[in-house]
């Protein structure tokens, strides 16, 4: 989780490439643990938001979809709702305001 938050800080400081790299590493590290629910947390606080913040909407779509798939598989309603929020936020960022706000 610390690495995912570091990625966001790097992005906000103007280092998008380093931020993206740290976000990817955070996902790899959490996959190596026996804590599958942490994948949702790391994806949502790291990769999903970094991709969106840097305008990489394709990567944001993939990260959000991955997070929601894990949340569904683990029956984690909170993280499913967070995923829906991020989907709506991404729609708004793509200027699809009506559908994004409805989501």
């Amino acid at each position: 989780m610390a690495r995912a938050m570091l990625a966001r800080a790097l992005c906000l400081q103007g280092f998008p490439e380093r931020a993206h790299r740290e976000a990817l590493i955070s996902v790899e590290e959490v996959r190596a643990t026996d804590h599958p629910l942490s994948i949702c947390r790391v994806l949502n606080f790291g990769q999903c938001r970094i991709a969106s913040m840097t305008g990489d909407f394709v990567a944001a779509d993939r990260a959000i979809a991955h997070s929601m798939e894990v949340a569904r598989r683990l029956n984690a309603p909170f993280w499913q709702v967070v995923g829906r929020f991020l989907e709506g936020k991404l729609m708004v960022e793509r200027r699809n305001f009506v559908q994004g706000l409805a989501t």
Side-chain angles (χ1 to χ4, degrees), residues 21-73:
R21 186 173 50 249
E22 291 297 330
L24 290 174
I25 292 169
S26 71
V27 174
E28 291 171 10
E29 285 179 347
V30 80
R31 280 190 181 134
T33 69
D34 189 27
H35 217 269
L37 197 53
S38 292
I39 292 172
C40 293
R41 181 177 294 131
V42 167
L43 280 168
N44 281 296
F45 285 102
Q47 198 171 15
C48 292
R49 301 198 192 232
I50 298 300
S52 179
M53 290 166 65
T54 59
D56 189 349
F57 297 144
V58 173
D61 269 335
R62 280 194 310 262
I64 293 167
H66 181 205
S67 174
M68 291 181 67
E69 184 270 323
V70 170
R72 276 191 293 273
R73 191 176 62 233

Side-chain angles (χ1 to χ4, degrees), residues 18-19 31 74:
R18 286 179 56 198
R31 280 190 181 134
L74 296 174

